[in-house]
Amino acid sequence: MKLSARTRYAVRILVKLGRHGTDSPLKTTSLSESSGVSVQFIEQILRPLKKAGLITSMRGAAGGHMLAQKPDSISVGDVIRIMEGHVGLTACCDKKLADDCPRKEFCTTRSVWMKASQVLENELNSISLQDIIDGKVHPLE
């Protein structure tokens, strides 16, 4: 599974919003400057996050964006599902697409991809934005 730039930036943006807190909203221009991507790209990323209820947005001179939930209640898995549609190594690991696979009855490797996808999804679901903010996520050695 290779994550899109939109998904990777979505996690970064949400972490930035989580670090900023809820005292005042962060402007799109500030998110753009800190991430190094255009305002237009930031806006494309924010739309599905807002639709999913992870962020709130306010218009006007004092407007901007804030997390709509606490950072400890948002997992990396949640963000990936919002941005990518599912967490899985192959299309047959997506419950919605798996039934359409013409090989599902006799595929000898499907169980391998399903198991690996489940392990990956469980791990991503276990990591919250707060874990990232607190620096609790470390690579395996």
Side-chain angles (χ1 to χ4, degrees):
M1 170 181 201
K2 183 176 180 181
L3 298 175
S4 68
R6 280 173 29 110
T7 299
R8 293 189 318 270
Y9 281 118
V11 174
R12 290 179 193 160
I13 288 167
L14 291 169
V15 167
K16 174 93 174 163
L17 292 173
R19 282 189 174 127
H20 184 73
T22 57
D23 292 338
S24 63
L26 259 177
K27 296 191 179 302
T28 306
T29 53
S30 174
L31 292 170
S32 174
E33 290 166 3
S34 67
S35 64
V37 298
S38 70
V39 169
Q40 293 82 4
F41 192 44
I42 295 289
E43 289 172 348
Q44 289 176 15
I45 293 166
L46 293 175
R47 272 187 219 109
L49 298 174
K50 184 177 179 181
K51 184 177 179 182
L54 297 188
I55 64 168
T56 59
S57 301
M58 291 155 268
R59 295 181 182 214
H65 312 281
M66 294 187 301
L67 286 183
Q69 302 175 25
K70 293 182 179 187
D72 63 355
S73 70
I74 301 170
S75 75
V76 174
D78 294 332
V79 181
I80 293 172
R81 279 185 293 281
I82 290 165
M83 302 303 288
E84 302 281 341
H86 80 285
V87 177
L89 298 176
T90 64
C92 68
C93 295
D94 182 352
K95 292 170 185 72
K96 296 174 190 168
L97 301 176
D99 290 338
D100 295 335
C101 180
R103 295 185 192 100
K104 76 176 183 177
E105 300 302 325
F106 58 87
C107 180
T108 58
T109 57
R110 182 171 185 251
S111 61
V112 173
W113 312 138
M114 297 274 300
K115 182 174 176 90
S117 293
Q118 289 167 351
V119 169
L120 175 62
E121 185 167 16
N122 290 341
E123 184 64 23
L124 293 170
N125 288 340
S126 76
I127 301 169
S128 71
L129 295 181
Q130 191 65 54
D131 293 333
I132 298 170
I133 291 167
D134 294 342
K136 292 182 178 177
V137 183
H138 304 287
L140 298 175
E141 294 181 24

